[in-house]
Amino acid sequence: MALIFAIETSCDETSAAVYDDQKGILSNVTYSQIEQHKPFGGVVPEIASRSQLEKINPIVKEALKQANVSLDDIDAIAVTKNPGLPGSLLVGLCFAKTLAFGKNKKIIGVNHLEAHAFSPLLEHNVPFEHICITASGGHTSMYLVQDLGKYTMISQTLDDAAGEAFDKIAKMLHLPYPGGPVIERLAREVDFQDFYHYPRGKNKTIDFSFSGLKTAVLYDLVKKNAYDMRKKQFLRPNDTQLQKEVASSLLVCITDIFKQKLALAYKQYPHVKAVTMAGGVACNKYIRKQLTEFCKKRGLSFFVPSPKYCTDNAAMIAFVGAYMLKQGKLSDYSLDIFE
Ligand code: KG4
Ligand code: ZN
């Protein structure tokens, strides 16, 4: 039996968790800074790391309290090492190293993307081998997941991430940050209809590309006299019908792109037993439903984490930390964010 304490501060969340490799997640406490970044339409790195410095101590204490354990009971401390915003990663990493040094605990540096890729296993017994789609504001990739800690990236985005496309197009429509949840809400109000049939992409390879879609939406808005390119301004902020129609067409288009790319991956790896999806975009109920149906038709199981484990969270870092501890993959105090 092993008890892992984890810290995750890669972007705009401050999260701490306790994971028991026999009983599962004992606590997962996350402070989200969304409200602080909203006025800027995206994450401001300086604000993110300052907020993390303020929050990390109380969040760590709360995670230990909720799990009803003390640091003395912990076997190892896991922490996100990269990729992420350097200032933010450093807050978590320095805090974790200090705790490990002070309490003489093992320390394990965890790759942020590996943690997302294995997050569906936090709550589900997912069979190997499977394909995992990770889609967040910073990354969109597919992995062939062979075993705990054994995975190969089979596809990535050539330009923007899927979440970034939601965020940038929401901004174009004068909608608040983050774009994904608001686009989903507006699309639901018009029953997820595909009004404008945006292009599904010229790139027929397994890799993703979303920047062309962003340009297509922009030019379509300009054509409709709804966007001023020079002033970079949406001209019909009160036209909620237009916002809903664009939102809905966009969501259907991005979902179709996921289906297309997944079909290519499945063709390449027909032996897989399941498909998973992780990262902030995996919170989207429409995408979840569509991919569930897609997989069902092909006799594949589909697994997604609960929303709190889709977005950045320390529970997924602890989960990876737990198997890395078993595999003897430990770090030392030279652990850095550029490894
Ligand atoms: O994983 P995450 O919390 O942070 C990183 O980027 O690492 O993902 C945030 C992204 C944002 O781009 C946000 O717009 C998107 O996930 N997102 C969604 C939804 N909820 C969050 N995208 C589509 N539908 C959602 N319901
Ligand atoms: Zn993430």
Side-chain angles (χ1 to χ4, degrees):
M1 188 204 130
L3 209 54
I4 311 293
F5 179 69
I7 294 175
E8 142 57 45
T9 60
S10 64
C11 187
D12 59 338
E13 260 96 22
T14 312
S15 185
V18 180
Y19 180 81
D20 182 320
D21 69 352
Q22 305 295 310
K23 296 182 196 152
I25 306 153
L26 300 187
S27 69
N28 178 62
V29 183
T30 305
Y31 173 76
S32 164
Q33 305 171 1
I34 283 181
E35 288 309 316
Q36 283 155 272
H37 299 287
K38 252 187 188 160
F40 305 95
V43 176
V44 182
E46 176 71 2
I47 293 178
S49 53
R50 274 171 189 261
S51 165
Q52 280 154 339
L53 271 178
E54 277 171 23
K55 294 292 173 193
I56 190 142
N57 213 2
I59 292 289
V60 161
K61 281 190 179 156
E62 185 58 27
L64 291 167
K65 189 174 149 205
Q66 285 189 16
N68 201 18
V69 298
S70 89
L71 273 178
D72 298 315
D73 307 322
I74 299 291
D75 294 292
I77 298 175
V79 61
T80 314
K81 59 174 183 181
N82 65 21
L85 299 172
S88 293
L89 287 167
L90 277 173
V91 174
L93 194 82
C94 292
F95 201 94
K97 279 207 253 187
T98 311
L99 286 184
F101 183 74
K103 290 285 179 184
N104 196 22
K105 300 288 173 186
K106 298 179 179 89
I107 184 150
I108 302 169
V110 173
N111 180 284
H112 177 182
L113 302 179
E114 176 170 346
H116 275 302
F118 285 87
S119 64
L121 281 80
L122 269 170
E123 300 163 289
H124 306 285
N125 203 353
V126 187
F128 296 114
E129 299 185 350
H130 60 258
I131 293 168
C132 174
I133 308 170
T134 60
S136 68
H139 305 272
T140 298
S141 317
M142 280 194 285
Y143 297 93
L144 177 66
V145 184
Q146 290 126 331
D147 205 342
L148 292 177
K150 213 173 147 212
Y151 59 103
T152 315
M153 189 196 275
I154 56 171
S155 154
Q156 60 184 321
T157 179
L158 302 173
D159 39 60
D160 292 351
E164 196 177 352
F166 281 121
D167 295 339
K168 285 183 175 167
I169 294 169
K171 199 171 179 181
M172 229 183 255
L173 294 169
H174 202 69
L175 295 169
Y177 171 84
V182 64
I183 296 273
E184 180 178 5
R185 182 172 55 74
L186 293 177
R188 173 162 293 111
E189 288 177 26
V190 286
D191 275 336
F192 306 106
Q193 290 178 66
D194 188 4
F195 295 91
Y196 303 130
H197 207 76
Y198 296 128
R200 270 58 177 158
K202 287 193 206 92
N203 152 38
K204 300 288 175 224
T205 70
I206 195 171
D207 285 322
F208 294 94
S209 167
F210 293 104
S211 75
L213 172 59
K214 188 184 60 193
T215 312
V217 175
L218 177 69
Y219 285 175
D220 195 48
L221 288 174
V222 170
K223 212 170 79 190
K224 289 182 167 63
N225 290 323
Y227 195 88
D228 185 326
M229 286 274 258
R230 208 167 41 83
K231 291 189 191 150
K232 292 198 168 122
Q233 199 180 356
F234 185 55
L235 300 172
R236 287 165 34 198
N238 299 320
D239 188 346
T240 49
Q241 185 58 28
L242 178 63
Q243 287 172 321
K244 285 177 194 173
E245 289 178 4
V246 175
S248 188
S249 309
L250 174 69
L251 178 52
V252 175
C253 178
I254 290 186
T255 309
D256 278 356
I257 293 171
F258 279 127
K259 283 195 230 168
Q260 268 177 19
K261 301 299 175 186
L262 184 56
L264 287 175
Y266 185 47
K267 207 168 158 193
Q268 222 166 308
Y269 304 99
H271 66 285
V272 295
K273 300 191 176 89
V275 174
T276 65
M277 187 171 185
V281 178
C283 291
N284 192 293
K285 292 202 186 80
Y286 177 77
I287 298 176
R288 290 161 91 112
K289 187 163 172 270
Q290 291 291 316
L291 292 186
T292 304
E293 281 167 19
F294 177 97
C295 289
K296 207 172 155 192
K297 275 192 200 142
R298 288 158 180 81
L300 291 165
S301 322
F302 180 64
F303 301 93
V304 263
S306 307
K308 64 177 181 248
Y309 303 126
C310 285
T311 50
D312 289 339
N313 67 88
M316 66 182 187
I317 305 298
F319 180 82
V320 173
Y323 69 66
M324 285 179 75
L325 176 67
K326 264 196 205 135
Q327 295 168 352
K329 292 181 185 161
L330 303 179
S331 308
D332 58 33
Y333 297 128
S334 68
L335 177 63
D336 203 349
I337 60 164
F338 300 111
E339 276 177 30

